[in-house]
Amino acid sequence: MIKYDWKQAWELLKQHKLFSVLYITGAGLAIAMTMVVFVAHYIRVAPIALRDE
């Protein structure tokens, strides 16, 4: 079953190259932006110990 799904997905990627690139790029950018937001938020609220010298 999974082998058939992968085969069908691969065929669709080959048939609709432009849309495939757009979808994959969009998903990648969405994941990257989500990670940037979470990292920026963590940096702002992270408990950072400051040393007194």
Side-chain angles (χ1 to χ4, degrees):
M1 179 87 176
I2 293 176
K3 186 176 180 180
Y4 174 75
D5 292 338
W6 280 104
K7 190 174 185 179
Q8 183 179 13
W10 185 251
E11 288 299 321
L12 285 172
L13 286 172
K14 289 195 300 189
Q15 289 176 5
H16 305 286
K17 293 179 182 176
L18 177 63
F19 289 120
S20 299
V21 169
L22 290 175
Y23 294 148
I24 292 170
T25 303
L29 287 174
I31 292 168
M33 285 303 297
T34 303
M35 290 179 66
V36 166
V37 168
F38 280 127
V39 168
H41 177 71
Y42 180 76
I43 289 172
R44 292 189 75 192
V45 300
I48 299 172
L50 300 175
R51 292 187 310 172
D52 292 328
E53 292 187 32

